[in-house]
Structure formats: structure tokens, C-alpha cells
């Protein structure tokens, strides 16, 4: 595995409750001259559901488990059956239950993001200046990038619009 002392030590800290200190494109620019061509290609094509690359296979299992648990609990909440079987994890189930009980969708997303950061930290473990740290950082940046798309004011406006539409339908009955 390659060693990236300067690259990794120059990356700003990422926190689940913080802002995105750099864009994913800026991150790729920083990596381009330091990592191998194959590593750069994997980083460039990385998504939250990727399963290729160091740490990514482990992350894919974690992310898949979280997604399946979320779909399962949503289905149960709606009184529907969940067609897929999966290996349940009690901690993941508790986190998802907390997220679904949150007072608003943004709070639920924050609960999930914090858990995802914890899981990534656990997967990276004691690695310091290698691909595991680099890919863990990349996934965290992708998670923050996704989170930055949520706009509280736009979300509240859309919620009120949908609520008014539902109320109008109810009143018309």
C-alpha cells in the first residue's frame, strides 16, 4: 500500500456536525499527483454505494446493512412486509429507530450521518497514512457532500406546500 504522509496530514478534519471544508473535486485535485492512476480512478468514480477499493468493500457491507434496516423499519411503520431477508444488527437497528423517531427529516439525517462517521472511524481503525485512511476520508467527504444538499428552508417550504395540498384534498372530501 502506498504511504501518503503529506497528503493525509494536509487534509482538513471532517466532522459529522461540521461544514464541508473542501469539495470532492478539490480533494481529487489534491490526490491526483500523489496517488496511483488506478487509485485515482477509483476515487474519481467513488459513490456511497461503491464496492471497489481499499476499505470500500467493508463500507459497502455497512452501508448496505444500514440501508436495508432503514427500508425494513420504514416498511414495518407503514404496515407493509419487507420482501428481503438480511442479517440484522442491533446497533444499526437502534440508530435507524432513533432516526425514524426524529422530529424532522434533517435531524434524522444527522443521526444517520453521525453513525456513518462512527462506522467509518471504526473501519479505518489504527491505519494512519495509507489507502484505508484516504478512502475513509473520501467516503466521509461524499457523505458531507450529500448532506450539504439538504436545505432546511427549502425543505420546510416543500413540506408546507405538500401539507397544504393534503389538507385541501381532505377538505374537498
Amino acid at each position: 500500500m502506498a504511504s501518503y504522509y503529506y497528503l493525509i496530514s494536509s487534509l482538513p478534519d471532517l466532522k459529522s456536525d461540521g461544514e464541508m471544508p473542501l469539495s470532492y473535486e478539490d480533494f481529487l485535485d489534491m490526490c491526483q499527483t500523489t496517488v496511483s492512476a488506478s487509485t485515482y480512478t477509483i476515487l474519481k468514480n467513488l459513490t456511497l454505494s461503491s464496492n471497489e477499493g481499499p476499505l470500500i468493500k467493508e463500507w459497502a457491507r455497512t452501508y448496505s446493512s444500514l440501508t436495508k434496516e432503514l427500508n425494513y423499519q420504514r416498511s414495518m411503520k407503514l404496515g407493509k412486509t419487507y420482501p428481503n431477508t438480511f442479517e440484522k444488527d442491533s446497533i444499526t437497528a437502534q440508530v435507524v429507530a432513533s432516526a425514524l423517531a426524529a422530529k424532522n427529516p434533517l435531524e434524522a439525517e444527522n443521526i444517520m450521518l453521525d453513525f456513518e462517521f462512527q462506522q467509518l472511524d471504526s473501519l479505518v481503525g489504527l491505519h494512519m497514512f495509507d489507502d484505508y485512511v484516504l478512502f475513509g476520508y473520501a467516503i466521509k467527504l461524499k457523505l458531507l457532500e450529500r448532506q450539504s444538499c439538504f436545505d432546511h428552508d427549502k425543505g420546510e417550504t416543500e413540506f408546507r406546500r405538500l401539507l397544504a395540498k393534503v389538507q385541501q384534498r381532505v377538505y374537498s372530501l
Side-chain angles (χ1 to χ4, degrees):
M1 284 200 185
S3 183
Y4 311 116
Y5 297 110
Y6 179 76
L7 173 63
I8 291 172
S9 63
S10 66
L11 293 171
D13 285 340
L14 299 179
K15 298 179 182 190
S16 63
D17 60 351
E19 296 292 317
M20 235 178 116
L22 76 158
S23 71
Y24 197 77
E25 288 302 316
D26 291 339
F27 169 71
L28 287 175
D29 288 345
M30 292 175 75
C31 292
Q32 192 165 17
T33 59
T34 308
V35 303
S36 69
S38 61
T39 298
Y40 184 79
T41 300
I42 295 170
L43 286 169
K44 188 173 181 179
N45 297 320
L46 187 69
T47 67
L48 292 176
S49 55
S50 292
N51 60 10
E52 180 187 342
L55 178 93
I56 303 303
K57 289 178 184 174
E58 295 92 336
W59 165 252
R61 283 192 295 275
T62 300
Y63 193 67
S64 174
S65 174
L66 185 62
T67 303
K68 287 175 183 174
E69 184 64 41
L70 187 58
N71 290 336
Y72 169 77
Q73 287 193 30
R74 283 179 176 158
S75 295
M76 295 298 106
K77 202 171 189 178
L78 294 171
K80 297 180 179 180
T81 59
Y82 186 68
N84 300 334
T85 59
F86 65 100
E87 191 174 316
K88 292 183 73 66
D89 172 63
S90 62
I91 295 171
T92 303
Q94 288 174 343
V95 169
V96 169
S98 294
L100 291 176
K103 60 184 173 192
N104 62 57
L106 187 57
E107 182 183 320
E109 286 294 331
N110 288 335
I111 290 169
M112 301 285 281
L113 182 66
D114 188 51
F115 177 69
E116 290 163 331
F117 266 53
Q118 289 173 18
Q119 296 298 75
L120 282 163
D121 288 341
S122 177
L123 290 172
V124 168
L126 297 176
H127 290 265
M128 296 296 280
F129 298 102
D130 62 10
D131 285 335
Y132 268 70
V133 176
L134 190 66
F135 278 85
Y137 191 91
I139 288 290
K140 284 183 177 182
L141 204 50
K142 285 287 187 180
L143 288 165
L144 286 174
E145 188 176 59
R146 180 181 174 274
Q147 186 82 353
S148 71
C149 294
F150 299 122
D151 182 314
H152 181 269
D153 295 335
K154 285 182 184 177
E156 190 166 333
T157 301
E158 180 64 9
F159 173 75
R160 297 209 182 282
R161 185 188 71 76
L162 292 172
L163 181 61
K165 200 174 191 179
V166 169
Q167 287 175 330
Q168 187 178 28
R169 286 185 183 166
V170 168
Y171 293 141
S172 69
L173 293 176

